[in-house]
């Protein structure tokens, strides 16, 4: 247990309470690596929040969510008769399916006649969906409980949503993704007869960014003279200390893009040499003795070699160091809620 996501439970939950209070009808999204926290923990958190529905990304994630959470579970990937006809829990009454075509609707109802569905409209995202002028017909045929719209990041969605609402007069509930609270307020004001249900993951689970952090252990520390070779690549180190910390590629510790290199020159070198070869010029996400040292070489599977510059006090074996990472691609050894 050495690469651990620590959560201050009280503070983390308070952030969610406030976020949910500000967004009536919110549908928390629980998918992938559970935003770093794990899907089961988020299901438990959704239960505590008392929301009536959560959304998962895929059918693979459905059974676990149905087991860990007692409300409705919306599957955001569209049902495809060719792919999903035999997936577990298709007929579970708490599952809500997304459809984008008559063929898939027929396949789904053939497998489970009572299936509850939403119809997804094809937005400027251009990912999944039914063209706006066909949503009304499909939603009618499906007796859909609502329509869904997945919009690009950013704002400026009101016009696009308004076009759908005008084209689909029979639908009252709209599940929308990536719509700001200001946009939601505008929509609610303009369309009081409709209900808008924001599907939110990132902004909800990371509502209070100070309420959690990833910490790694210092596994070894050694003073080195300038030019000492180290690592798989035997690259010469600068003078200072080589510090071995827990956390490697299996945890999601990766070379950052060249944009994280310190100077325009080092960015240019990183691009020219390829990011991996530029490792010793790239800052690591670990904070050691108040600085973010560079990688001595690309991270290993479960640990990383860092090059701590001369003049910086070395840490001790067993010390904990914080890691600044994007949690959607982090796989910690453990998640500890205190
Ligand atoms: C992932 C996803 C969301 C949640 O996205 P966040 O940016 O994490 O809030 C919402 N809607 C759909 C369709 C998604 O795939």
């Amino acid at each position: 247990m050495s690469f651990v996501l620590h959560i201050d439970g009280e503070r983390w939950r308070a952030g969610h309470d406030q976020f949910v209070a500000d967004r009536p009808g919110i549908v928390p999204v629980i998918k992938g690596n559970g935003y770093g926290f794990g899907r089961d923990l988020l299901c438990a958190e959704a239960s505590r929040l008392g929301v009536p529905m959560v959304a998962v990304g895929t059918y693979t994630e459905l059974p676990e969510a149905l087991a860990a959470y007692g409300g409705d579970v919306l599957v955001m990937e569209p049902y495809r008769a060719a792919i999903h006809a035999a997936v577990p829990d298709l007929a579970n009454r708490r599952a809500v399916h997304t459809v984008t075509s008559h063929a898939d609707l027929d396949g789904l109802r053939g497998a489970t006649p009572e299936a509850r569905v939403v119809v997804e409209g094809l937005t400027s995202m251009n990912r999944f969906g039914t063209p706006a002028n066909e949503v009304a017909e499909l939603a009618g045929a499906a007796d859909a409980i609502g329509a869904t719209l997945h919009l690009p990041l950013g704002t400026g969605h009101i016009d696009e949503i308004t076009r759908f609402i005008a084209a689909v007069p029979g639908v009252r509930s709209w599940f929308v993704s990536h719509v700001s609270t200001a946009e939601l307020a505008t929509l609610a004001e303009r369309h009081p007869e409709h209900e808008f249900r924001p599907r939110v993951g990132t902004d909800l689970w990371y509502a209070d960014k100070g309420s959690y952090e990833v910490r790694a252990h210092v596994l070894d520390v050694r003073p080195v003279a300038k030019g000492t070779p180290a690592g798989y690549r035997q690259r010469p180190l600068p003078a200072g200390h080589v510090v071995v910390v827990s956390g490697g590629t299996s945890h999601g510790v990766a070379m950052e893009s060249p944009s994280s290199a310190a100077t325009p020159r080092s960015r240019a070198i990183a691009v020219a040499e390829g990011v991996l070869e530029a490792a010793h010029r790239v800052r690591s996400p670990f904070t050691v003795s108040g600085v973010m040292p560079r990688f001595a070489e690309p991270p290993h599977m479960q640990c990383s070699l860092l090059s701590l510059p001369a003049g910086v006090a070395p840490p001790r074996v067993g010390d904990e160091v914080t890691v600044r990472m994007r949690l959607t691609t982090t796989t910690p050894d453990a998640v500890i809620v205190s």
Side-chain angles (χ1 to χ4, degrees):
M1 299 295 188
S2 47
F3 193 82
V4 174
L5 173 55
H6 295 266
I7 304 174
D8 175 342
E10 202 173 315
R11 193 173 154 184
W12 189 60
R13 293 185 189 110
H16 302 158
D17 287 337
Q18 184 61 52
F19 193 90
V20 167
D22 292 343
R23 287 161 190 80
I26 188 173
V27 179
V29 171
I30 298 173
K31 66 181 182 184
N33 69 341
Y35 291 83
F37 303 107
R39 297 201 302 270
D40 276 351
L41 180 60
L42 297 190
C43 281
E45 182 60 1
S47 304
R48 190 196 65 81
L49 287 164
V51 292
M53 178 187 274
V54 299
V56 296
T58 66
Y59 276 98
T60 314
E61 297 168 342
L62 177 62
E64 226 182 74
L66 287 168
Y69 166 78
D72 286 344
V73 180
L74 169 67
V75 183
M76 295 191 297
E77 79 169 326
Y79 177 83
R80 297 290 182 230
I83 303 170
H84 301 124
V87 296
D89 285 318
L90 206 56
N92 190 299
R93 284 296 294 153
R94 288 191 287 121
V96 178
H97 308 270
T98 300
V99 294
T100 64
S101 79
H102 272 285
D104 291 327
L105 175 64
D106 293 347
L108 177 63
R109 287 275 162 76
T112 168
E114 309 270 87
R116 291 184 299 155
V117 306
V118 292
V119 170
E120 175 150 6
L122 184 64
T123 67
S124 51
M125 269 291 285
N126 234 331
R127 193 165 78 175
F128 303 120
T130 312
N133 61 352
E134 295 171 23
V135 174
E137 199 274 319
L138 185 58
D143 191 21
I145 65 167
T148 81
L149 298 174
H150 184 203
L151 295 138
L153 298 177
T155 54
H157 303 125
I158 299 276
D159 288 351
E160 189 164 3
I161 296 171
T162 303
R163 280 198 297 278
F164 272 96
I165 292 173
V168 190
V171 165
R172 206 182 78 80
S173 286
W174 292 85
F175 295 84
V176 293
S177 303
H178 300 137
V179 176
S180 71
T181 36
E183 289 176 323
L184 285 167
T186 304
L187 287 166
E189 193 181 296
R190 288 196 197 160
H191 306 279
E193 71 287 9
H194 289 87
E195 147 184 89
F196 297 96
R197 317 261 333 248
R199 298 183 296 188
V200 188
T202 303
D203 290 349
L204 167 62
W205 304 124
Y206 306 144
D208 183 348
K209 293 183 178 56
S211 64
Y212 52 84
E213 73 183 1
V214 176
R215 285 183 232 145
H217 276 128
V218 173
L219 304 173
D220 224 336
V221 183
R222 203 166 302 109
V224 286
K226 183 175 188 301
T228 309
Y232 289 122
R233 289 165 174 77
Q234 290 293 288
R235 198 174 272 138
L237 296 171
H241 287 83
V242 60
V243 177
V244 187
V245 290
S246 54
T249 53
S250 72
H251 302 100
V253 176
M255 299 302 305
E256 294 292 317
S257 67
S259 65
S260 66
T263 64
R265 183 167 174 275
S266 60
R267 277 197 289 278
I269 293 167
V271 169
E273 295 182 352
V275 179
L276 290 188
E277 282 312 305
H280 55 308
R281 297 186 173 88
V282 175
R283 259 180 222 297
S284 77
F286 299 86
T287 300
V288 182
S289 308
V291 303
M292 287 180 95
R294 287 159 203 267
F295 282 114
E297 71 168 353
H300 300 177
M301 197 162 179
Q302 294 177 306
C303 65
S304 296
L305 264 62
L306 311 177
S307 177
L308 196 65
V312 178
R316 283 174 309 195
V317 170
D319 282 357
E320 280 188 332
V321 297
T322 57
V323 195
R324 216 190 290 164
M325 284 183 62
R326 195 177 143 144
L327 286 189
T328 48
T329 52
T330 300
T331 311
D333 290 324
V335 178
I336 297 176
V337 186
S338 50

